Amino acid sequence: MLLNFKSLLELRYLGLCTHLAISRYASKGGGKIDQEVLKQLEEGYKKLTESNSKSLLKKHLTKEIFEKLKTQTTPSFNSTLMHCISSGLCNHDSGMGVYAPDPEAYKVFADLFDPLIEDYHKCFKKTDKQPATKFGKGKDFENLDPDGNFIVSTRVRCGRAVKGFPFNPCLTEQDYGELESKICGAVMTLSGEYKGKYMPLTGMDKCVQEQLIADHFLFKEGDRFLAAAGASRYWPTGRGIFLNDTKNFLVWCNEEDHIRIISMEKGGDLGKVYDRMVGGVEALGKQLEFNRDERLGFLTFCPTNLGTSIRASVHIRLPSLMCQPEEMKKLAEKYRLQIRGTSGEHSEAKDGVHDISNQRRMGLTEYEIIKEMHDGIKGLIEAECKARNS
Ligand code: ADP
Ligand code: CIR
């Protein structure tokens, strides 16, 4: 049943996106919702409410909000509620289930986004405002595992949207090309430790691609949550990766966000990894204009990444703690950490290696977000040592 609905949605998307591609240039605003889309929204919403989905979409999309939003469209791109929630309607196992098709969607569909944002980012209320960017200095953060007993590697990333472009579901094939040229032009100006090369996904040798994924450098393909959100259109057009010569600084082009800026290396030197990412962000910010909202901070496709858009993670082994899942869950909640599998979101842990990162990215400055992650990982390592000795 869900499958039929999913393929219907995907088919529908092709139609919607053609429509969007035209409407983007033809008419601004005043969009009317297609009756067929409305019917599918009603059906999908009914199935979601009858399901046992634990998604924040199901929790917060009340009947009242659904009725209010189901015919709304964004002024510049005519995005609908279907664009926002198709991922969660197709994937009842979503954690969130919601994406913003364009920056205006956060305002037009605020009755849905605001409670979701407050829930995910722990208390970022609709009256709250993301503080001004403040990176601070990485030297304040010690190496989390100087003897190399727990941490395999450390990674800090942030997302950026280029001003003037919508997000994936509304991008035309031409937009993907234009974005790639802009981003590629910017990364190729990087010098010193950042100097490297850009590799487009189009035409990339399969073995090279697989190796880059296995090394945790490159994004995977075929994420069903993103695909259902309309983020895989024209794939692999406009997608690619920039890698510096030392392979510890990367830029993803047009995957989930227009840009993901990533610093990573073996070991637990969080401060060094963080400083490298900040240097890269600042250098790219001189070449590109990023989209930042007064209230929400840096704008991203997924509401989990708003604010600072920073996810700082370690690949870590905590065998004793992982044998006590209830204790681990309690500690993760206490320290506001998120646990993922070894190959990223929605993956399993291999050889006991978990990806543990800050959960929230909003309501704190960049520096405070890194401190929250730093203190949390330190706390987990202390708890692991205690568990080993008890
Ligand atoms: P994000 O949303 O931060 O981009 P994903 O969960 O999609 O993260 O993971 C992207 C890739 O980054 C995956 O291959 C994942 O294993 C890798 N990764 C995440 N954290 C680390 C880390 N600390 N060390 C090495 N690789 C990492
Ligand atoms: C989901 O809803 O599960 C996916 N769309 C991913 C949500 C973002 N991930 C996260 O927890 N930070």
Side-chain angles (χ1 to χ4, degrees), residues 153-155 157 216 252 260 264 311 313-315 340 342-345 355:
S153 50
T154 303
R155 175 180 185 264
R157 63 89 159 147
H216 304 288
W252 287 358
R260 284 282 173 91
M264 61 195 279
R311 192 171 85 86
S313 63
V314 283
H315 268 182
R340 298 183 178 184
T342 324
S343 303
E345 189 144 44
D355 165 340

Side-chain angles (χ1 to χ4, degrees), residues 152-157 213-220 252 255-256 260 262 264-265 305 311-316 340-347 355-356 361:
V152 179
S153 50
T154 303
R155 175 180 185 264
V156 184
R157 63 89 159 147
I213 295 173
D215 291 340
H216 304 288
F217 293 137
L218 182 62
F219 45 82
K220 290 174 289 183
W252 287 358
E255 188 242 11
E256 178 173 325
R260 284 282 173 91
I262 302 159
M264 61 195 279
E265 67 182 38
N305 288 321
R311 192 171 85 86
S313 63
V314 283
H315 268 182
I316 189 167
R340 298 183 178 184
T342 324
S343 303
E345 189 144 44
H346 310 295
S347 72
D355 165 340
I356 306 188
R361 327 208 197 285

Side-chain angles (χ1 to χ4, degrees), residues 133-338:
T133 299
K134 190 172 178 221
F135 287 118
K137 290 276 173 264
K139 68 171 169 43
D140 296 352
F141 306 109
E142 77 225 44
N143 187 323
L144 283 161
D145 182 24
D147 299 328
N149 293 323
F150 309 93
I151 296 178
V152 179
S153 50
T154 303
R155 175 180 185 264
V156 184
R157 63 89 159 147
C158 68
R160 290 289 185 269
V162 178
K163 216 170 182 165
F165 289 85
F167 303 140
N168 278 307
C170 300
L171 290 174
T172 63
E173 192 168 10
Q174 190 185 335
D175 288 334
Y176 276 112
E178 267 176 44
L179 270 168
E180 186 182 35
S181 305
K182 275 183 192 284
I183 295 164
C184 186
V187 290
M188 293 318 287
T189 66
L190 296 175
S191 59
E193 69 164 323
Y194 296 99
K195 193 176 76 55
K197 69 168 185 222
Y198 179 75
M199 294 174 273
L201 211 57
T202 305
M204 186 183 282
D205 181 272
K206 266 282 159 217
C207 292
V208 171
Q209 184 182 358
E210 275 163 22
Q211 193 56 53
L212 286 170
I213 295 173
D215 291 340
H216 304 288
F217 293 137
L218 182 62
F219 45 82
K220 290 174 289 183
E221 283 187 317
D223 180 304
R224 68 187 154 92
F225 300 87
L226 284 174
S232 308
R233 295 159 48 253
Y234 313 115
W235 192 277
T237 300
R239 278 75 171 192
I241 180 177
F242 170 85
L243 198 53
N244 72 342
D245 295 340
T246 20
K247 297 193 172 172
N248 56 19
F249 178 79
L250 298 80
V251 180
W252 287 358
C253 180
N254 285 324
E255 188 242 11
E256 178 173 325
D257 286 307
H258 299 162
I259 309 176
R260 284 282 173 91
I261 303 166
I262 302 159
S263 165
M264 61 195 279
E265 67 182 38
K266 298 274 178 225
D269 197 342
L270 177 66
K272 195 164 148 221
V273 174
Y274 176 57
D275 276 345
R276 188 185 307 116
M277 186 204 74
V278 173
V281 173
E282 287 177 340
L284 290 174
K286 292 189 181 122
Q287 305 293 323
L288 298 161
E289 200 179 349
F290 300 138
N291 206 345
R292 193 178 194 282
D293 181 78
E294 260 284 286
R295 183 172 94 79
L296 298 174
F298 288 104
L299 291 178
T300 50
F301 182 39
C302 181
T304 60
N305 288 321
L306 290 165
T308 64
S309 76
I310 287 183
R311 192 171 85 86
S313 63
V314 283
H315 268 182
I316 189 167
R317 282 194 180 92
L318 301 168
S320 302
L321 273 186
M322 289 300 173
C323 289
Q324 307 169 39
E326 276 312 307
E327 177 63 10
M328 189 63 217
K329 199 168 160 235
K330 259 200 337 229
L331 286 170
E333 262 163 39
K334 174 178 164 193
Y335 293 121
R336 296 182 153 162
L337 296 171
Q338 187 185 52

Side-chain angles (χ1 to χ4, degrees), residues 36 66 90 228 251:
E36 185 58 28
F66 178 77
C90 286
V251 180

